[in-house]
Amino acid sequence: MNLRHCIKVDDFSKDEIIELFELASELKKKFRNKESYKPFKDHSMAMIFAKPSARTRVSFETGFTWMGGHAIYLAPQDIGLGTRETASDLAQLFSRYNDMIMARVYSHNDMIDFEKFSTVPVINGLTDYNHPCQILTDMFTIWENKKNNFNNLKIVYVGDGNNIVNSWIRLSSILSFDFTCVCPEGYEPDNDTIQFAKSKNLSKINISNDAKESVKNADVIYTDVWASMGQKKEIDERIKVFSPLQVNEALVENAKSDYMFMHCLPAERGREVTDGVIDSSNSVVFEQAENRLHTQNAIMVTLANK
Ligand code: CP
Ligand code: NVA
């Protein structure tokens, strides 16, 4: 069996992504019906967290446990990644104890070392560069809401060109949609990633700083915090730069009336998004957060070939 990892969204082909969504949908029904499903009986997974988390930790731990396995949470102070021990040594160590590794780290190079040195599947739970489980979940949520059809979708992200955006752009190299990132000058997503996705000639990718114009006819408006984990000390400066890009009631008026509001969460309410938008009937943020569980279960089952 080929060893497979989920380090970036394009570790899956288009057909595999559709299969993943079909499986996630099946597992969602099973989980909600409290059916017994134990493909990971007698298996364990090491979950390495160098950064904080609510959704990623709880959804992976809940999902792996429901599927019959034992998930072990390792907090930042437990591991000392890069200070006490290297990613390459940890990957080799946990490959001997565990059947799967899930990691959330700062440097994407550490994630690449996990991938390179592990002999069990590695799942990326977020790096400074990307967040594949989140964006696969987000597209699954859109796929469910749009009745399994995401042709001609207009997705507009408003905010910082961060790890979330890099993953959206990578996804646009596999699935076809119209993607716009509205961000202030100097806060654009990774340029190599933009060039890589553009070279596939599959999706329209736009970088803009005009939020009002960009959200016209949007099917999805997505935002995220203005300062990601590791950047929180820059928040005062960022508030000044990003305030014109707040997703508020006036901005979303320009989108389609049935547009979906999405946010990976945690949200800093009153900053990047107003309560009026995140609590509106267009908002799917909690469905989206729930879907982390089901999509990741599908990812784990697929990688382990269960
Ligand atoms: N969206 C997300 O990954 O949330 P956490 O940081 O709480 O895991
Ligand atoms: N961009 C955010 C996403 C959190 C899920 C961060 O990296 O902090």
Side-chain angles (χ1 to χ4, degrees), residues 113-156:
D113 277 350
F114 273 113
E115 177 183 29
K116 194 162 149 199
F117 289 95
S118 173
T119 56
V120 299
V122 175
I123 301 176
N124 175 355
L126 178 147
T127 70
D128 286 346
Y129 171 65
N130 69 350
H131 196 0
C133 294
Q134 180 69 56
I135 275 53
L136 288 168
T137 300
D138 299 339
M139 201 46 139
F140 170 62
T141 307
I142 296 169
W143 180 81
E144 273 189 316
N145 273 270
K146 300 284 174 198
K147 308 278 178 269
N148 309 357
N149 176 4
F150 38 57
N151 291 333
N152 304 316
L153 259 185
K154 182 170 177 187
I155 301 175
V156 182

Side-chain angles (χ1 to χ4, degrees), residues 140-274:
F140 170 62
T141 307
I142 296 169
W143 180 81
E144 273 189 316
N145 273 270
K146 300 284 174 198
K147 308 278 178 269
N148 309 357
N149 176 4
F150 38 57
N151 291 333
N152 304 316
L153 259 185
K154 182 170 177 187
I155 301 175
V156 182
Y157 174 98
V158 183
D160 184 25
N162 60 17
N163 42 10
I164 294 293
V165 185
N166 292 333
S167 283
W168 270 113
I169 294 173
R170 291 199 83 100
L171 188 64
S172 77
S173 73
I174 304 289
L175 303 177
S176 170
F177 53 92
D178 182 339
F179 182 77
T180 301
C181 170
V182 185
C183 56
E185 214 182 308
Y187 294 87
E188 292 85 3
D190 179 60
N191 190 43
D192 289 347
T193 304
I194 300 173
Q195 298 318 322
F196 161 77
K198 282 193 170 170
S199 72
K200 305 286 174 187
N201 281 324
L202 185 65
S203 297
K204 277 194 217 141
I205 302 162
N206 317 288
I207 308 297
S208 163
N209 31 49
D210 188 339
K212 191 173 171 196
E213 186 58 32
S214 300
V215 300
K216 276 187 187 149
N217 287 318
D219 295 292
V220 174
I221 299 181
Y222 197 122
T223 191
D224 184 16
V225 290
W226 292 337
S228 286
M229 291 178 274
Q231 300 172 330
K232 297 297 181 193
K233 56 187 179 313
E234 297 170 26
I235 190 61
D236 291 344
E237 176 59 26
R238 283 176 175 256
I239 287 172
K240 285 186 216 143
V241 177
F242 283 94
S243 287
L245 297 187
Q246 184 187 58
V247 179
N248 53 31
E249 289 85 331
L251 181 67
V252 301
E253 285 242 317
N254 301 287
K256 284 187 182 160
S257 59
D258 66 346
Y259 88 97
M260 294 164 66
F261 173 73
M262 303 185 83
H263 192 309
C264 54
L265 304 179
E268 295 184 6
R269 286 168 174 259
R271 281 191 185 156
E272 73 274 7
V273 61
T274 57

